[in-house]
Amino acid sequence: RLVSDWSSDVCSSDLVTVSTVAINYPNLPNDPGLPLKSPYNVVVDALDNFYVSDSVNNRIVRVDASTQVATTLAGIPGDPAGSNDGPPDQAHFNNPQGLLTVSIGGVGGLLVADSGNNLIRFVRFSDGVVTTLAGQTSFGPAVNAAGTNATFHYPIGLDQDTNGNVYIADWGNDTIRVLNLNDPAFGITNVVISGTSFHRPTAVAFAGTNQLWVADTGNQMIKLITLAPPASGSLTTYVGGYRLTGTTDASFGPNARFNTPGGILWLSGGGLLISDTVNNSIRLATNNPAPAYGATNYAVVTFAGTPGAGNGGLQDGSAATAKFNSPVGLAQDIVYSAFLVADLKNNVIRRIQN
C-alpha cells in the first residue's frame, strides 16, 4: 500500500508496527564504524538507500538498502567540528541537521543544513565531495544576499518545490528563507509571509500547489502557508495553540496541543506527519473540512507512541505501545511502504510500517 493511504488506519493502531532498523557498523579503514549519536534527520534516495545527519559525530552516514551497512559519506567521525570543504576524508561539519536529496546541474547529492556552522552545503552522492553553497560560519541576520554573502543563524529544516526552490527554516532568525538551485549564485531570499510570524521554526514541508507547512516550534504550532512563489505567502491555517503545550488530539486543529514539534513530512493525499519531539510521539494532521470548522481545517490524531514528556523510551511493537525518545526527522521509505524516523535520543532509526 502507498504510505499516503495510511490515514484511514490511524484509529486501528494494531495494523501499524514500529521497529528499530538493524544497522551494521563495520570497522573500515578511515571509517571506524561508530554507531549513530543523536541522529537528527533521515532521507531516502531513489534506490532506497538512506542517509542520516549524525549530528554529534559531525558526519553524514549512508546506509545501504540491501545490506544495511553504514558508511560515512562525508565528515570525519572522531575529529573536532570544522567547516572545510573538499573530499569526504577532509571535509568537516558542525552539528549537521537538515537533509534534502537534490540535483544541481544534473549532479545528484544531499543538501545539508550544517546548523552549527550556519551553512548550507552540498554533498555529492558519487564521491562524497562537500561544497559550501551559502552562508558564513559566523551567524548573522536574515538579509537577502547571494550564496556565501548570505548569513544564517542555525538553519535546520529543508524542503523543495518542483521548480528548484529550496525552503530553509532559519531557526535563530525566526524566518523562512529560499534558495534557488537553478541560480548559479545560489541567492538567498527571505520569504515574506503575511498574517503570522515565527519563533524558532525547525522544519518545512512542501505540500504541492504552492503550499508550505512550517513547524513553528517555539510557538508550539504547525502552520500552512500559501505561497506566491518563490518569496512571499500568507497564512492559510494552523494546528496547535500559541505557546500552549500538551498532548491533546482534536478534530479542530487549533485545539490540538504539541510539545516542541520538530519534524514534519507531507504525505500526498494523506496529510501531514509530525514528530512531536518532546512528547515522544508521532502525530498526523489530516484535512477535516467539517462545516463548523471550515474547508482548511486539519484534525490531529496520535499516529504512534504514547504522547507525554515523561513517556520516552525505546520499545518496538504496535503503534499504540511503541516508545520513542525525542523523534525528529521523518522520511518516506517507499520500498517498505513505511516511514523512517530519526529517534534522536535513542541514537537509532525507527521504521513505522503497515
Side-chain angles (χ1 to χ4, degrees), residues 115-150:
S115 304
N117 278 326
N118 304 296
L119 302 174
I120 304 300
R121 308 176 77 184
F122 179 66
V123 184
R124 288 198 304 238
F125 282 143
S126 60
D127 55 12
V129 168
V130 178
T131 305
T132 296
L133 302 186
Q136 302 175 29
T137 53
S138 297
F139 69 82
V143 177
N144 297 345
T148 53
N149 290 322

Side-chain angles (χ1 to χ4, degrees), residues 11-314:
C11 294
S12 302
S13 56
D14 59 318
L15 300 177
V16 177
T17 59
V18 179
S19 60
T20 301
V21 178
I23 299 176
N24 301 314
Y25 298 97
N27 192 346
L28 304 172
N30 301 316
D31 194 356
L34 293 177
L36 299 174
K37 192 169 184 180
S38 296
Y40 191 92
N41 217 325
V42 58
V43 295
V44 181
D45 69 14
L47 300 176
D48 208 49
N49 306 300
F50 67 85
Y51 301 82
V52 181
S53 50
D54 189 13
S55 61
V56 169
N57 284 325
N58 295 312
R59 62 174 177 165
I60 308 302
V61 171
R62 177 187 184 273
V63 179
D64 184 85
S66 300
T67 64
Q68 303 297 295
V69 167
T71 53
T72 298
L73 177 66
I76 307 174
D79 265 21
S83 62
N84 48 303
D85 290 341
D89 60 347
Q90 298 177 21
H92 290 80
F93 296 90
N94 185 358
N95 198 10
Q97 296 191 356
L99 292 178
L100 182 66
T101 58
V102 298
S103 178
I104 300 177
V107 178
L110 293 174
L111 212 61
V112 180
D114 192 3
S115 304
N117 278 326
N118 304 296
L119 302 174
I120 304 300
R121 308 176 77 184
F122 179 66
V123 184
R124 288 198 304 238
F125 282 143
S126 60
D127 55 12
V129 168
V130 178
T131 305
T132 296
L133 302 186
Q136 302 175 29
T137 53
S138 297
F139 69 82
V143 177
N144 297 345
T148 53
N149 290 322
T151 55
F152 298 90
H153 191 172
Y154 212 82
I156 302 181
L158 306 168
D159 206 1
Q160 64 186 323
D161 66 13
T162 57
N163 296 312
N165 296 306
V166 174
Y167 293 90
I168 304 164
D170 191 351
W171 179 88
N173 281 320
D174 300 324
T175 304
I176 305 303
R177 320 281 295 277
V178 62
L179 177 159
N180 192 298
L181 296 178
N182 299 317
D183 174 9
F186 299 113
I188 304 294
T189 306
N190 296 339
V191 182
V192 178
I193 298 170
S194 63
T196 193
S197 60
F198 303 104
H199 182 61
R200 301 300 188 249
T202 60
V204 289
F206 186 72
T209 320
N210 300 329
Q211 303 286 292
L212 184 74
W213 286 95
V214 178
D216 189 7
T217 305
N219 284 328
Q220 309 295 343
M221 302 169 76
I222 313 291
K223 297 176 178 178
L224 178 60
I225 308 302
T226 298
L227 296 167
S232 63
S234 59
L235 176 68
T236 297
T237 193
Y238 62 90
V239 295
Y242 178 71
R243 300 196 180 180
L244 298 173
T245 60
T247 61
T248 305
D249 291 338
S251 297
F252 180 50
N255 287 343
R257 297 291 178 261
F258 303 95
N259 195 342
T260 319
I264 53 178
L265 175 68
W266 175 250
L267 312 173
S268 180
L272 185 75
L273 207 62
I274 302 163
S275 281
D276 193 3
T277 304
V278 174
N279 275 331
N280 301 302
S281 59
I282 308 299
R283 315 284 290 279
L284 180 70
T286 55
N287 187 224
N288 176 19
Y293 304 143
T296 62
N297 176 65
Y298 276 72
V300 176
V301 297
T302 298
F303 187 78
T306 303
N311 291 332
L314 178 56

Side-chain angles (χ1 to χ4, degrees), residues 329-343:
L330 299 162
Q332 286 198 20
D333 188 5
I334 299 297
V335 169
Y336 287 90
S337 186
F339 306 108
L340 296 176
V341 182
D343 197 352

